[in-house]
Amino acid sequence: MMRQNADAPVIIIGAGLAGLRAAEGARRAGYTGALVMIGDEEHPPYDRPPLSKDFITAPAPPDVLLRDPDELRNELNIELRLGQAAEQLDVPGKRVRVGQAWLDYSSIILATGYRSRTFSTNREEQNLYPVRTVTDGMRLRERLASGARHVAILGAGFIGSELASSTRSRGISVTLISTVRKPLSGALGDQVADALVQLHRSNGVDVRLGCSIAEVSESSILLSDGSMVPADVVAYGIGGEPATEWLAGSGIELDGFGVVCDEFLRAAPGVYAAGDIASWPSKLFDQQLRSPHWTAASEQGVNAGHNAVSDAKEPFDTVPYYWSDLYGKRLQFVGVATGDKMMVVRDELPDGGFLALARSGDRISAACGINMRRQIGVARRHIRQQSSWSVAMEDLGVDQNPAVLSRV
Ligand SMILES: Cc1cc2nc3c(=O)[nH]c(=O)nc-3n(C[C@H](O)[C@H](O)[C@H](O)COP(=O)(O)OP(=O)(O)OC[C@H]3O[C@@H](n4cnc5c(N)ncnc54)[C@H](O)[C@@H]3O)c2cc1C
């Protein structure tokens, strides 16, 4: 039987972006009771996007803390417990185990995010640099500053691509290695994938596609196609895994990507989830959706925090959005589509911009642009409003039947 722990605190597991927004959402909803945030890192909530961008190469690393720790304690009145991991959840008993101690909660918000998938080679791991945490970012930053000349980056997704871009900005030679022939094409389509490879190459990056790293030595690496590449540093961004193993056996539904929630971001009675691990049944897109990116983590955190403390629960839905910064250009994606649906309607790269759209029935379902901020904003509005294709195209200033790439 479910316990009623009305006087127990609201507990947030995960001191990241979604966890912080959940605390803010709970306070904004009028909750004045105890709020405990448990985080397994030693740092208060910080921002991850800069870590693969200027954080690793700027003369001084930008401040990534999302809020001053004093503000967290004094303004939001959060009891911060850092360097501690949640290890077990008892849903009917409304309690969570942290170390040896069981903590009662009135409601709990799961916001544990993803962890980097690890890559190992013949050499000890000190030569390898993943980038997910601020500790990772600081380690890579110090290594680059200590006179790295040739950097190899495994993985040409967003994080690997940004690492290539920021490392090149310091004049360091970069080899970008991808096991697939068209990196990011599954999400963005072949044409955008090709344009991004072209962008890397036009910025002096040696891009190696369809191969991996076979062996690492002090100053070079052997690729699986037999070629040797100079490399005194090997960084990687090869995707991640949800930090949900501790929920096994709790009865919370896990689908391999994270926690399956209802439209109120509720995973079980009194249990909410937010951020990279959470999926929700989207009315707008008529499917269970995940958006493991900054904007959704922020929006979901607020919603889960509100719903965890309020009787007037608010359904969650959003038009997924993310951005990436490459060689001084901004790539943005909005909506939901698989890469094979993306049609390029403007291509002015390498110096200008790029716009690709996806259509579903009579509607625009996604847009991807490079240096197309206004158009992405317009597209997001039309996706949210479920406007007809012709209305959206008119507003975007695009031909009604943009089936063919138009190189400007
Ligand atoms: C290098 C990098 C660059 C990025 N750039 C962009 C970008 O340009 N644009 C964009 O849209 N998105 C970007 N993202 C994605 C964005 O940062 C994430 O979507 C966002 O951080 C997710 O927030 P979250 O709170 O769900 O998870 P996280 O920020 O990962 O926070 C979760 C926290 O929970 C902790 N935790 C895990 N398990 C436990 C446990 N059992 N007990 C206690 N604590 C636990 C974790 O250690 C972590 O501190 C980037 C991500 C990375 C890593």
Side-chain angles (χ1 to χ4, degrees):
M1 203 170 95
M2 180 72 63
R3 275 172 67 191
Q4 298 300 322
N5 282 350
D7 294 334
V10 169
I11 298 187
I12 298 169
I13 308 297
L17 173 65
L20 171 63
R21 294 290 183 258
E24 292 169 345
R27 291 295 184 220
R28 221 177 288 157
Y31 176 69
T32 53
L35 201 49
V36 177
M37 181 182 278
I38 313 273
D40 66 357
E41 294 186 72
E42 297 291 342
H43 309 278
Y46 62 86
D47 214 17
R48 291 179 201 271
L51 301 179
S52 46
K53 305 180 180 69
D54 51 345
F55 187 88
I56 55 167
T57 50
D63 181 6
V64 289
L65 282 189
L66 286 163
R67 281 252 201 157
D68 189 84
D70 286 341
E71 258 178 51
L72 297 178
R73 292 194 180 92
N74 302 332
E75 285 178 27
L76 285 173
N77 199 7
I78 299 176
E79 182 189 333
L80 264 180
R81 295 201 187 181
L82 299 175
Q84 302 180 23
E87 291 175 31
Q88 202 180 339
L89 182 65
D90 171 6
V91 176
K94 295 191 107 178
R95 54 189 197 145
V96 60
R97 186 166 63 77
V98 178
Q100 295 309 309
W102 282 98
L103 309 178
D104 290 341
Y105 61 77
S106 55
S107 49
I108 191 165
I109 299 153
L110 315 175
T112 50
Y114 263 52
R115 293 208 177 89
S116 287
R117 195 165 290 142
T118 51
F119 169 69
S120 51
T121 65
N122 55 307
R123 273 178 80 87
E124 289 300 310
E125 273 153 34
Q126 66 261 27
N127 213 21
L128 304 175
Y129 293 80
V131 180
R132 170 93 209 167
T133 66
V134 71
T135 308
D136 295 338
M138 195 49 90
R139 191 171 154 256
L140 179 57
R141 181 186 159 78
E142 282 166 7
R143 180 64 189 90
L144 294 179
S146 73
R149 288 169 52 228
H150 303 287
V151 174
I153 297 163
L154 180 63
F158 291 113
I159 290 179
S161 294
E162 289 181 344
L163 291 174
S165 163
S166 43
T167 309
R168 276 304 294 149
S169 73
R170 300 294 286 180
I172 299 170
S173 96
V174 173
T175 306
L176 182 62
I177 302 147
S178 169
T179 54
V180 295
R181 296 215 160 265
K182 288 193 185 282
L184 289 169
S185 67
L188 306 180
D190 283 358
Q191 290 172 313
V192 184
D194 290 344
L196 291 178
V197 168
Q198 189 195 339
L199 189 61
H200 286 301
R201 289 193 168 135
S202 65
N203 281 279
V205 173
D206 179 5
V207 184
R208 306 292 183 105
L209 301 173
C211 61
S212 187
I213 297 177
E215 264 179 52
V216 176
S217 65
E218 190 114 343
S219 57
S220 64
I221 53 173
L222 174 67
L223 299 183
S224 55
D225 63 5
S227 55
M228 281 301 250
V229 171
D232 35 34
V233 178
V234 180
Y236 65 92
I238 51 170
E241 283 150 6
T244 50
E245 66 293 335
W246 65 283
L247 295 170
S250 66
I252 297 291
E253 187 180 347
L254 302 171
D255 63 2
F257 298 103
V259 175
V260 179
C261 298
D262 69 10
E263 73 266 42
F264 302 109
L265 297 180
R266 190 170 41 194
V271 182
Y272 296 80
D276 284 359
I277 57 166
S279 72
W280 77 100
S282 169
K283 279 220 166 75
L284 268 172
F285 295 95
D286 196 24
Q287 57 181 286
Q288 189 76 16
L289 267 191
R290 279 178 69 238
S291 179
H293 304 287
W294 197 96
T295 305
S298 185
E299 295 168 342
Q300 288 178 344
V302 174
N303 185 280
H306 174 100
N307 288 346
V309 300
S310 168
D311 290 333
K313 313 251 181 255
E314 288 178 1
F316 177 80
D317 210 355
T318 192
V319 179
Y321 166 81
Y322 58 84
W323 80 93
S324 182
D325 291 332
L326 299 169
Y327 309 103
K329 297 181 191 302
R330 174 145 292 196
L331 180 147
Q332 294 168 295
F333 184 95
V334 67
V336 174
T338 48
D340 56 340
K341 299 279 186 288
M342 301 304 291
M343 302 179 276
V344 176
V345 296
R346 280 175 71 179
D347 178 3
E348 299 148 34
L349 286 174
D351 302 321
F354 190 96
L355 184 65
L357 304 173
R359 179 175 184 160
S360 173
D362 184 40
R363 291 185 187 143
I364 172 175
S365 57
C368 174
I370 295 179
N371 283 1
M372 292 279 167
R373 291 177 195 232
R374 189 192 69 76
Q375 289 83 347
I376 294 295
V378 170
R380 193 172 200 211
R381 177 162 51 80
H382 284 295
I383 296 169
R384 187 182 294 116
Q385 293 171 351
Q386 302 190 315
S387 315
S388 74
W389 177 256
S390 57
V391 168
M393 291 310 103
E394 195 177 329
D395 224 2
L396 284 165
V398 167
D399 190 308
Q400 295 289 324
N401 292 303
V404 186
L405 164 77
S406 58
R407 193 170 275 276
V408 183

